């Protein structure tokens, strides 16, 4: 195998991890590839580190008995399919994917390579696994938001900013889970007297365009800067490391049930609230896990 195939790519640089006392050299080093269905940022690099460190603690020492390779998303599905094929061409022992987008790319080409997914919404409804308890095939992992989260996001936003009457839902068109979340948001919007607008985007430029267009009318809301309600992603990446360890030691993916999300975080940005002249209800602040002052 070529030397370049035995390199860990984190942000494009080779990264070695400290010696793990429990590490034992197997008959051959194991190879894990990671397809991140998101851009490389400080947050996503931190999540990846949260995945790699537990592997070391479980006895997998980088460049000794384990080699990992990471590929980040670049908003071009055609290119991602080529890069995913390159990852699989090296016959990895385990493939790890993050988000529905990455799993959609990896699943058709993985063959018998075990896949551990992270952050996949509605994995049964999306056709990735047969059930949570018995995933079947070579895929298992950790589910993210279920479709009802769309309505919950709108409820939290309306509670934070009661006067909003319009909400922009930014999403990638064609994704079954995102379409289901949109329907959930639309159902909640009827009850909350809010008008929803779907903003289909594929890249950063399109995101900017739909926000500019939406902002031309008053009393609107766009998620992200004021309040965030979502998963504890570090928890999911940490738990995924345990599944990868078990598969590397001989457990089959079908023997590992898909796990639902268990830890959620509510973050409120008080700086943004003050800038918008909003008074965040004490009941909401008391439920917040993080408050940005």
């Amino acid at each position: 195998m070529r030397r370049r195939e035995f390199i860990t790519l984190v942000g494009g640089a080779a990264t070695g991890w400290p010696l793990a006392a429990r590490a034992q050299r197997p008959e051959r080093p194991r190879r894990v590839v990671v397809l991140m269905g998101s851009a490389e940022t400080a947050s996503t690099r931190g999540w990846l580190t949260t995945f790699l460190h537990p592997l070391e603690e479980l006895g997998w020492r980088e460049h000794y008995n384990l080699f990992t390779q990471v590929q980040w998303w670049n908003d071009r599905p055609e290119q991602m399919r080529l890069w995913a094929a390159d990852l699989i061409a090296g016959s990895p022992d385990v493939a790890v994917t993050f988000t529905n987008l990455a799993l959609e790319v990896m699943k058709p080409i993985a063959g018998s390579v075990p896949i551990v997914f992270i952050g996949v919404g509605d994995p049964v409804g999306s056709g990735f696994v047969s059930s949570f308890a018995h995933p079947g095939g070579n895929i298992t992992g950790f589910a993210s938001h279920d479709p009802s989260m769309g309505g919950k996001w709108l409820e939290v936003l309306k509670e934070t900013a009661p006067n909003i009457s319009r909400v922009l839902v930014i999403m990638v068109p064609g994704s079954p889970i995102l379409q289901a979340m949109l329907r959930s948001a639309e159902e909640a919007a009827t009850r909350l007297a809010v008008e929803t607008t779907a903003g289909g985007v594929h890249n950063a430029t399109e995101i900017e365009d739909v926000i500019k267009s939406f902002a031309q009318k008053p009393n609107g809301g766009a998620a992200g800067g004021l309040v965030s309600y979502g998963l504890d992603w570090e928890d999911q990446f940490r738990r995924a490391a345990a599944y990868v360890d078990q598969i590397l030691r001989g457990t089959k993916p079908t023997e590992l049930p898909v796990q639902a999300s268990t830890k959620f975080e509510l973050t409120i940005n008080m700086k943004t609230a003050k800038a918008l002249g909003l008074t965040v209800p004490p009941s909401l602040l008391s439920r917040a896990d993080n408050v940005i002052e």
Side-chain angles (χ1 to χ4, degrees):
M1 183 170 290
R2 297 190 297 271
R3 181 179 180 276
R4 71 178 181 84
E5 294 175 340
F6 283 104
I7 193 166
T8 299
L9 295 181
V10 181
T15 303
W17 299 94
L19 174 66
R22 293 172 52 199
Q24 295 181 353
R25 184 183 292 274
E27 295 182 0
R28 63 174 181 83
R30 305 301 172 84
R31 185 163 180 262
V32 174
V33 297
V34 182
L35 183 62
M36 295 288 287
S38 62
E40 182 182 5
T41 65
S43 294
T44 55
R45 285 196 299 271
W47 301 341
L48 185 61
T49 298
T50 304
F51 166 74
L52 293 172
H53 276 166
L55 285 177
E56 175 199 346
E57 295 170 354
L58 290 166
W60 300 104
R61 176 187 167 194
E62 188 66 42
H63 300 305
Y64 182 74
N65 61 357
L66 180 70
F67 294 90
T68 57
Q69 185 175 354
V70 179
Q71 180 61 61
W72 299 90
W73 197 261
N74 71 347
D75 290 331
R76 296 195 298 272
E78 298 79 9
Q79 181 64 65
M80 295 310 302
R81 281 191 283 270
L82 293 175
W83 283 341
D86 187 55
L87 293 176
I88 292 298
S91 301
D93 295 280
V94 183
V96 177
T97 64
F98 174 55
T99 77
N100 289 59
L101 293 174
L103 186 52
E104 288 168 4
V105 169
M106 186 65 76
K107 180 184 177 183
I109 63 174
S112 60
V113 173
I115 298 176
V116 175
F117 63 75
I118 305 168
V120 169
D122 192 17
V124 177
S126 299
F128 296 129
V129 296
S130 300
S131 69
F132 274 53
H134 304 286
N138 62 318
I139 301 177
T140 189
F142 299 83
S144 63
H145 310 103
D146 61 38
S148 67
M149 187 58 101
K152 294 177 183 177
W153 282 328
L154 187 57
E155 290 171 358
V156 171
L157 183 59
K158 183 69 172 178
E159 186 176 359
T160 309
N163 291 330
I164 64 168
S165 58
R166 301 183 307 112
V167 170
L168 172 64
V169 182
I170 301 174
M171 57 184 292
V172 178
S175 170
I177 181 59
L178 294 181
Q179 292 292 339
M181 289 180 178
L182 175 61
R183 289 192 295 271
S184 173
E186 290 172 338
E187 292 170 0
T190 301
R191 172 169 44 84
L192 298 171
V194 174
E195 174 190 346
T196 58
T197 300
V201 299
H202 300 86
N203 52 53
T205 300
E206 291 182 358
I207 292 175
E208 184 176 350
D209 290 341
V210 297
I211 291 178
K212 284 183 178 179
S213 176
F214 184 79
Q216 292 175 0
K217 296 181 180 181
N219 297 325
L226 174 62
V227 59
S228 171
Y229 180 56
L231 300 180
D232 181 339
W233 291 114
E234 289 190 356
D235 177 66
Q236 284 220 341
F237 276 82
R238 188 180 299 109
R239 289 194 289 159
Y243 266 23
V244 170
D245 171 64
Q246 291 182 64
I247 292 173
L248 290 176
R249 298 182 190 280
T251 303
K252 298 184 182 301
T254 190
E255 299 171 9
L256 299 170
V258 173
Q259 295 191 32
S261 305
T262 58
K263 297 182 67 175
F264 293 82
E265 290 186 330
L266 173 62
T267 300
I268 300 174
N269 191 333
M270 293 301 293
K271 290 183 179 180
T272 301
K274 292 175 182 177
L276 295 174
L278 296 173
T279 300
V280 180
S283 60
L284 188 63
L285 280 173
S286 66
R287 305 201 310 267
D289 300 283
N290 304 294
V291 176
I292 302 173
E293 299 289 352

